[in-house]
Every structure is written in structure tokens, then in C-alpha cells.
Amino acid sequence: MSNSIGIHDLSFATGEFVLPHTTLAAYNGTEIGKYHVGIGQESMSIPAADEDIVTMAAAAAAPIVARHGTDRIRTVVFATESSIDQAKAAGIYVHSLIGLPSATRVVELKQACYGATAGLQFAIGLVRRDPAQQVLVIASDVSKYDLDSPGEATQGAAAVAMLVSVDPALVRIEDPSGLFTADVMDFWRPNYRDTALVDGQESIGAYLQAVEGTWKDYQEQGGRSLDEFAAFCYHQPFTKMAYKAHSHLLNFNGYDADKEAVTAALGLTTAYNRVIGNSYTASVYLGLAALLDQADDLTGKSVGFLSYGSGSVAEFFAGTVVAGQREHLRTEANREAIVRRRSIDYAEYRALHEHRLPADGGDHSNPVQTTGPFRLAGISGHKRIYEKR
Ligand code: CAA
């Protein structure tokens, strides 16, 4: 039996619209350097009124099913922290939209931005038990903070779908993981709110604590040493956070964190997050997509992953890039998902931010806005109605 399990395919989708940070800065009077340099963000994806975590997830997963078929997929793990229902797993809508067979288990996972990594690890366990099976892991989130709050500049939206399989075509995931959990209130969203609450500075400190904690445990579990890694994919609530995190890791290990060394280790991973914004649990895997799409051949090289979810749970683990991975990348489709977005002005953004599905149980249609392959057509009797184009 092959011991090699990991990411066999990776595809992502994002929202219909994009808000440039220059537009937000012109509205709120912020000096643009704070956004472009201070937090390292240029623009953020904004979903259309007829898009949500389900439509983005289906758009991300459909190309995987088109390429690999459905025969071996017996489990769908849907990770999100912007859940649309307290009971029904959002993945069931996706299961139906992309035509998966009824002999499938579908479940939703939550632990802030860490959820997809839990999904990936659980998927590896399932594939190890039966190497004939593949698991579809989906991470989909809409990051939404209050208007005019400091968090507003760190919004975004995206879904990543990954097929986890034996003998993966992209990245083999290695066994030792460094784990860290701490009960902190750095970022949370009570059930009665649709925007997150956050203590910005506390959240940055909690993230850095988790970097230290996971690394210590990773070393104790027999993990690789720092200089064995060719690149690092960090969770990126804003891209500057990855720079802060890696500098912290270097300092913690007694190295100087000069900007050149940090940029060499993670610069390529920030390309998609910089223009998409925070996609919460999808973010670390958007970092991987950006790395693989742009790097010279990484075959046989180790990549370090740091997944952080506020509240907080974090994990550090390593992956090895597989020979021939370039032939399996979706570089053109990834770039298209970004460039196809339509830029909106501040008034359009504000209207979308304030848009809510009516909660009165009546029949309501959504305006037709998305040009994507799936849409949330409306709500009727408290039931969401999705359609495939
Ligand atoms: N030119 C260049 N840089 C500038 C500047 C200018 N004109 N003006 C300010 N800056 C710099 C500041 O010096 C600062 O840099 P450092 O952090 O390196 O010191 C940076 O821009 C941001 O400035 P502030 O700290 O003053 O910004 P803020 O108070 O508006 O808050 C924030 C920034 C805390 C990130 C806020 O946007 C926020 O709360 N975001 C949501 C929370 C978040 O993303 N936390 C990250 C860790 S938690 C996590 O990772 C989970 C998750 O996904 C939420």
C-alpha cells in the first residue's frame, strides 16, 4: 500500500466583484500606503447578491469533478466559518449542484480559519484507511466585518476545493504535525451576527503565539528543521501577516529576519491573497496555489504550512512537491478567476454589504448579478434555492 497521500488537485473560485483599496481609502480618508504597504492588500473580492459560500464552493469543485469524475469520491468535507445554516451542511447543496452520487458522506467543519486544515488531515486519515477512495475537501468563506471598522479593509471571499488522494499529483502531505490550541477571544462571530467581532492587535499577538506553539510541537514530533523548507504558506488574513509570522518564526529560531529572506520564503504565496483579501479557511491554500503557479520547479522541495484559526487552533505541517506537478496546475483558470471580477464603486460595495436575504419565510428572488456557473436564485419558505447555469 502506498504511503503517499496528499493534494491531487486544487481549484479555486472567488466572488463576482472586486473593491480596490484605493476606493475604500478615497471614501474613508486613509493614506493608501497603510493598505498597500501597512497591511499588504490591494483589493478584495466581494460576492454578488446571488453568490454565497455554496455557489463559490460549487464553482471551485466543479472543475475537479470534470477532470477526475465522481467514482472514487465518497466523502465531502466542507470547511467554513461563514456558515449559512445551523443544521444542514452547506456541502449537501454543493453535492447536488456538481452531481456527486448518493453514496457519499457530506459534513461541515468549523474552527475559524483552521477548518480546512482539519478537513485535509481527516481526509488523509480516510484515504489511508481505504486508498481507493478520494475525499473532496472544500474551504469556502465570505469575510465580513462592520462598515467603517478597522477590520473592513481585511474582508474578502473565496473557495478552494482540493481532491485528497493516494499518490497525489501536486503535494504529498507529511506525517508530523505541530499542534496548538489556546482559549482566546481574538476574533469570533456569535450566531446572531453576520459580521465578525475582532480585537485586531490581540488577534495578531494570538497568531504569533500560535506560530511559536505549533513550531515547538512540530520539532518535538520529529519535524524538519527550518532550513529544509523551500517556501512557507501561512494563513493570510492580510498578506503582511505572513511577513510578521515568518519573521517571528525566524527570530524564535535565533535567525535574523531580514526582509529579503522573508520575501524569498513566502513572497510568491501572497499574490492571490493580496488581490482577493481574507478568504478565512481557504486562505492558506490560495497561498499554495499562488506558490505552485509562479515558482520555478519545486519538485522534491518541502513547503511548510501554518494554518491559524482564531479562538484559537493552529497547525504546522510539511508537504513535498511532487514531480510533474506543473502539468496538473490550473494556472490559467486561477488567473481568470481573478481578472474576470468586475470592479465596483463604493456605493455598490456598500449596497452589497448591507444586502441580506429576507428572513420572513416568504418567496424572494435575488437580483441576477453573478456571471458564474452557479447562483443563489432566492429564498422561499426559509429554503435557499440554488441554480446551475
Ligand atoms: N504607510 C505604510 N504603512 C502604514 C501607514 C502608511 N501610511 N499607515 C499605517 N501603516 C502601517 C502600520 O504601521 C501598521 O503596520 P505594523 O502592523 O507593521 O506596525 C499597519 O499599517 C496597520 O496599521 P494599524 O495597526 O494602525 O491598523 P488598524 O488599527 O487599522 O488595524 C488590523 C489593522 C488589526 C489588521 C485590522 O485591519 C483588523 O482588525 N483586521 C481583522 C483582524 C485580523 O485580520 N487579524 C489577523 C490575525 S487573526 C487571523 O489571522 C484570523 C483571521 O483570519 C481573522
Side-chain angles (χ1 to χ4, degrees):
M1 182 172 84
S2 172
N3 247 347
S4 159
I5 302 175
I7 303 169
H8 192 47
D9 196 0
L10 189 158
S11 158
F12 77 77
T14 183
E16 178 73 14
F17 300 125
V18 58
L19 182 75
H21 276 79
T22 45
T23 304
L24 184 62
Y27 166 78
N28 64 20
T30 297
E31 208 281 295
I32 194 61
K34 175 170 173 180
Y35 293 156
H36 285 174
V37 181
I39 60 170
Q41 288 305 127
E42 260 173 52
S43 59
M44 49 200 183
S45 286
I46 307 291
D50 52 350
E51 290 179 324
D52 67 1
I53 56 164
V54 168
T55 62
M56 288 193 301
I64 289 188
V65 164
R67 186 185 277 180
H68 304 275
T70 60
D71 291 357
R72 294 174 62 187
I73 301 175
R74 286 179 60 79
T75 303
V76 177
V77 179
F78 191 115
T80 187
E81 60 183 294
S82 31
S83 185
I84 52 165
D85 195 290
Q86 297 293 343
K88 178 167 174 149
I92 298 178
Y93 296 111
V94 177
H95 171 274
S96 152
L97 288 169
I98 64 174
L100 292 176
S102 60
T104 310
R105 65 166 76 80
V106 181
V107 70
E108 187 165 312
L109 277 189
K110 175 183 67 184
Q111 185 2 71
C113 307
Y114 168 72
T117 298
L120 174 63
Q121 296 294 358
F122 298 166
I124 289 169
L126 285 169
V127 173
R128 187 158 289 152
R129 194 173 75 170
D130 179 2
Q133 295 186 24
Q134 297 175 325
V135 178
L136 183 60
V137 176
I138 302 175
S140 186
D141 269 312
V142 176
S143 162
K144 200 167 174 185
Y145 295 91
D146 284 341
L147 291 167
D148 306 319
S149 71
E152 185 180 21
T154 62
Q155 299 176 115
V160 168
M162 295 182 280
L163 191 63
V164 176
S165 155
V166 79
D167 297 327
L170 300 181
V171 178
R172 254 190 331 266
I173 302 298
E174 297 178 0
D175 266 350
S177 268
L179 303 175
F180 182 80
T181 288
D183 184 1
V184 284
M185 291 303 283
D186 59 329
F187 165 105
W188 67 108
R189 184 172 66 83
N191 287 346
Y192 48 82
R193 289 181 62 97
D194 72 352
T195 50
L197 296 165
V198 64
D199 180 336
Q201 294 313 320
E202 165 126 10
S203 72
I204 293 171
Y207 184 133
L208 297 179
Q209 275 296 110
V211 169
E212 239 175 89
T214 54
W215 180 257
K216 269 195 222 150
D217 189 49
Y218 179 67
Q219 291 304 301
E220 281 165 25
Q221 302 301 316
R224 292 178 180 276
S225 61
L226 207 52
D227 49 18
E228 286 182 71
F229 290 100
F232 291 82
C233 290
Y234 285 90
H235 167 56
Q236 294 172 40
F238 50 95
T239 64
K240 179 84 168 289
M241 189 67 224
Y243 285 81
K244 287 179 190 285
H246 196 59
S247 302
H248 192 79
L249 185 62
L250 289 175
N251 289 334
F252 182 69
N253 280 279
Y255 293 104
D256 280 345
D258 64 276
K259 187 145 191 254
E260 250 172 55
V262 178
T263 304
L266 59 81
L268 295 180
T269 71
T270 63
Y272 296 157
N273 289 287
R274 190 174 168 85
V275 292
I276 286 176
N278 196 355
S279 55
Y280 288 160
T281 196
S283 141
V284 65
Y285 300 101
L286 279 182
L288 173 63
L291 174 69
L292 295 178
D293 282 348
Q294 298 174 94
D296 294 337
D297 196 8
L298 283 172
T299 298
K301 303 255 171 72
S302 296
V303 177
F305 293 83
L306 186 284
S307 178
Y308 174 75
S310 288
S312 71
V313 177
E315 179 161 347
F316 187 97
F317 62 99
T320 305
V321 179
V322 174
Q325 90 283 350
R326 292 200 147 279
E327 287 139 50
H328 304 276
L329 297 177
R330 298 177 177 276
T331 310
E332 275 319 302
N334 293 345
R335 294 202 173 123
E336 179 56 23
I338 289 169
V339 301
R340 71 182 282 280
R341 297 171 302 167
R342 182 168 77 74
S343 189
I344 48 175
D345 62 23
Y346 183 79
E348 288 173 289
Y349 155 68
R350 201 167 175 113
L352 285 163
H353 195 286
E354 286 166 350
H355 173 80
R356 303 280 183 281
L357 278 180
D360 60 8
D363 294 335
H364 301 278
S365 323
N366 264 333
V368 180
Q369 292 183 345
T370 181
T371 56
F374 303 95
R375 64 182 293 269
L376 171 58
I379 189 161
S380 174
H382 297 292
K383 296 173 191 154
R384 287 184 176 231
I385 320 263
Y386 290 98
E387 63 185 33
K388 186 178 170 189
R389 287 275 175 59

